[in-house]
Every structure is written in C-alpha cells, then in structure tokens.
C-alpha cells in the first residue's frame, strides 16, 4: 500500500544552524525557510536525489514540535512520510486493522499542498507516520 518515501522530518531548535549544517557540512541543496503557521512550524526543505529532509522549527505557542523538543532537547527524527495512491482508502484500511489516525481522521492539506494524515506512533514502532496523497 505505501509507496515512495516522501520525506523524513527532523525537529530542530535552531533552524538557521540546522540549515547551515545540511548546506555547508553535508553539502545539500536547501530551500529558504517557509513559515507554516497552520502547522505550527517553520520548514526548510533539503532536496536529496531520491527524497527530501524537512527541518522543522517550532512556530507559535502550541506547536507540536515544541512539545517534541521538550522531550528531545537535542532535536531528532519527528516523523517519516510515505506516499499513498488513495489516502482515504489507506485510512480506512488502517483503521480497520486497528491503527489510530490522529486528529479528526479527515485528511488536512499538508506542507506540499496535498492531503495528509498522521498515524499514532505507538501503532508504528514508536515513529510518527505521515501519509501523503501521491
Ligand atoms: Co511531513
């Protein structure tokens, strides 16, 4: 059911420092910072040949990334995103198998303008999973 790895998201305290690390130390192509107030993050996209890394810095008072950084002060992998051909069919199949979909269970428009859902990390090996309509 799942397809391509769309991105891996890393929560960071200092987006400028994280961007410099990927750009200057690792030699990757990075985007300008993109504030996404509706998701409580500012994002820098790191473009790799086969996928993307998203560097997430908390934005606003009740950012989900701020809570993550309280538990993980050095930052860390926040979620991984897989593409699916049909996000509603994927959701229904996963729910039928007992997986928990976060929030209302209805897809929201994600960072790339496409519908996304998040799956409970306790159901997926301790990793927050994002599904994105391909
Ligand atoms: Co994501």
């Amino acid at each position: 059911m799942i397809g391509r790895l769309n991105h891996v998201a890393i929560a960071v305290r200092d987006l400028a420092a994280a961007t410099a690390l990927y750009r200057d130390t690792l030699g990757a192509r990075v985007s300008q910072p993109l504030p996404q107030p509706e998701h409580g993050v500012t994002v820098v996209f790191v473009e790799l040949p086969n996928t993307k890394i998203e560097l997430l810095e908390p934005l606003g008072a009740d950012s989900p990334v701020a809570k993550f950084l309280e538990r993980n002060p050095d930052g860390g992998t926040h979620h991984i995103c897989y593409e699916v051909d049909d996000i509603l069919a994927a959701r229904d199949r996963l729910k039928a198998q007992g997986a928990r979909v976060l929030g209302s269970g209805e897809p929201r428009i994600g960072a790339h303008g496409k519908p996304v859902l998040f799956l409970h990390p306790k159901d997926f090996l301790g990793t927050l999973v994002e599904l994105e309509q391909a």
Side-chain angles (χ1 to χ4, degrees):
M1 181 180 68
I2 59 171
R4 281 168 31 94
L5 174 66
N6 185 278
H7 61 270
V8 175
I10 300 176
V12 305
R13 282 196 180 282
D14 182 338
L15 191 55
T19 302
L21 182 71
Y22 266 83
R23 183 189 58 225
D24 302 334
T25 305
L26 292 173
R29 199 146 49 99
V30 302
S31 76
Q32 291 298 311
L34 180 65
Q36 300 192 323
E38 68 278 16
H39 296 291
V41 292
T42 303
V43 184
V44 164
F45 298 98
V46 180
E47 295 286 344
L48 303 180
N50 63 337
T51 190
K52 291 186 286 289
I53 306 297
E54 295 183 2
L55 305 174
L56 307 179
E57 183 185 63
L59 175 64
D62 49 23
S63 168
V65 174
K67 294 181 189 73
F68 180 91
L69 287 171
E70 280 173 23
R71 297 192 304 273
N72 304 274
D74 297 329
T77 304
H78 184 265
H79 64 268
I80 55 180
C81 177
Y82 301 118
E83 295 178 4
V84 292
D85 288 333
D86 182 336
I87 197 164
L88 293 177
R91 175 197 64 187
D92 293 345
R93 170 176 163 162
L94 288 162
K95 284 175 77 171
Q97 293 177 99
R100 287 167 284 181
V101 177
L102 299 187
S104 70
E106 293 307 313
R108 298 173 60 199
I109 297 302
H112 316 117
K114 294 181 173 175
V116 301
L117 285 171
F118 286 90
L119 306 175
H120 201 296
K122 285 201 161 54
D123 297 334
F124 291 94
L125 312 175
T127 304
L128 179 60
V129 172
E130 179 180 17
L131 298 180
E132 181 175 296
Q133 178 79 47

